[in-house]
Amino acid sequence: MREPYRMGGLPDRVTVYEVGPRDGLQNESAVVPVEVKAEFVARLAAAGHTVIEATSFVHPKWVPQLADAAELLTTMERVPGVRYPVLVPNERGLDRALEHGVTEIAVFASATETFAAKNLNRTLESQFEMFEPVVGRALEHGLRVRAYVSMCFGDPWEGPTPVAQVVEVGRRLLDLGCYELSLGDTIGVGTPGHVGALIEAFGGPGRLAVHFHDTYGQALANTLAALRAGVTVVDASTGGIGGCPYAESATGNLATEDLVWMLHGLGVETGLNLQALVETSTWLAARLGRPSPSRVVQALSPRK
């Protein structure tokens, strides 16, 4: 790694919230064997990750790739000091998470009416009727609850998402007791000024995290804008895999390696071993049958 050069207004350390095993793999058409998923999670922990979103208890009819969630949680090794949150869509998902000893969950909301209907089969308002009992019961059982909000910058059916609408949805989730709110640019249309304006509309970074997709090549620029606004938690997917099965225009997530290259170049600590991440992505790409979209993985992988 080259010598770092600091920029003003950046945090000393950033937590990379790894979503590869869940948000990354969920969009893969060919089912990945549970043994490969378990090794993927183990490799991520060995590379230094302290939070790895392992899977989701979504109905297998909607996301067949994650039908093995219970088997994965039984199979995979849990490293002390590493958090393994699980996405749950409803109370049935919460029941299954509790049965398998999960200590942290995430819920997934929409900032727009159309995506709420397509992804959750709910209206923008009635989605909270689903989240309230899930969050309430999870907190009663001592679980930590994170919230995602999708379509924060734009929606493929509705166009640009009003900032005030995102803030209203996000604040309601935080008021339910979620410890953190991840702002998702599901279709990758955000730009740095928009990122800053949205964070400012929330009154500052507070309990915010960011989740960018790289559809228009803006994910790193948007991340830098979020960091300069005070955000210290960034979602990313090793190898840049992922998308959204309910929004065709949602391409891959921000690649963990690309993020780490930038952060280490800025002198921002992550606790992550970049070479180990590159090796993991190269290993996974071979099992998925296609090269990693991460530019850093492409640059640092051995040439054949």
Side-chain angles (χ1 to χ4, degrees):
M1 186 67 199
R2 303 171 66 188
E3 178 185 354
Y5 289 86
R6 291 284 300 182
M7 286 178 62
L10 295 179
D12 292 330
R13 187 177 183 89
V14 163
T15 298
V16 178
Y17 190 104
E18 175 62 46
V19 299
R22 197 276 303 174
D23 193 29
L25 291 180
Q26 74 174 8
N27 215 40
E28 293 295 320
S29 56
V31 175
V32 178
V34 69
E35 296 81 9
V36 173
K37 294 177 181 176
E39 184 172 350
F40 184 29
V41 171
R43 284 172 173 262
L44 293 171
H49 276 293
T50 56
V51 55
I52 304 166
E53 192 168 78
T55 188
S56 171
F57 279 115
V58 66
H59 195 289
K61 175 183 177 182
W62 304 118
V63 187
Q65 184 66 254
L66 303 181
D68 58 3
E71 185 180 0
L72 174 62
L73 292 176
T74 302
T75 303
M76 72 183 203
E77 177 187 0
R78 304 193 195 196
V79 177
V82 179
R83 296 154 45 206
Y84 298 95
V86 170
L87 185 73
V88 301
N90 49 36
E91 286 197 88
R92 176 54 186 147
L94 175 62
D95 290 338
R96 296 180 67 197
L98 291 171
E99 289 169 7
H100 289 85
V102 171
T103 59
E104 182 174 339
I105 65 166
V107 295
F108 192 89
S110 174
T112 65
E113 195 75 61
T114 305
F115 194 64
K118 290 182 177 292
N119 188 44
L120 303 171
N121 198 28
R122 298 276 179 150
T123 65
L124 192 61
E125 176 61 32
S126 69
Q127 65 179 331
F128 293 98
E129 297 172 4
M130 181 170 62
F131 299 137
E132 286 173 5
V134 172
V135 176
R137 286 184 53 210
L139 294 176
E140 288 173 3
H141 282 85
L143 275 62
R144 290 166 51 111
V145 184
R146 187 188 211 232
Y148 289 98
V149 181
S150 59
M151 303 295 175
C152 288
F153 297 86
D155 176 296
W157 302 278
E158 298 182 19
T161 307
V163 168
Q165 189 168 299
V166 178
V167 173
E168 180 181 359
V169 170
R171 284 181 174 160
R172 289 182 67 175
L173 291 164
L174 290 171
D175 289 345
L176 288 178
C178 297
Y179 79 90
E180 187 170 82
L181 181 73
S182 177
L183 303 175
D185 186 9
T186 315
I187 58 173
V189 295
T191 50
H194 194 169
V195 172
L198 182 57
I199 294 170
E200 183 179 358
F202 271 96
R207 290 179 280 166
L208 300 180
V210 289
H211 183 117
F212 295 118
H213 287 225
D214 205 30
T215 315
Y216 293 88
Q218 300 296 295
L220 281 177
N222 290 339
T223 298
L224 186 58
L227 298 180
R228 300 195 76 171
V231 171
T232 60
V233 180
V234 180
D235 299 358
S237 174
T238 293
I241 58 173
C244 177
Y246 300 100
E248 293 183 1
S249 54
T251 55
N253 291 287
L254 169 61
T256 305
E257 295 89 347
D258 297 2
L259 173 63
V260 171
W261 176 272
M262 181 183 78
L263 293 176
H264 288 183
L266 290 166
V268 177
E269 294 294 328
T270 65
L272 294 172
N273 183 315
L274 180 59
Q275 187 56 43
L277 291 171
V278 170
E279 291 170 1
T280 296
S281 286
T282 303
W283 166 86
L284 182 63
R287 279 138 190 86
L288 296 178
R290 55 178 176 76
S292 167
S294 163
R295 301 297 291 271
V296 169
V297 171
Q298 295 171 20
L300 296 182
S301 294
R303 303 294 183 192
K304 291 185 179 181

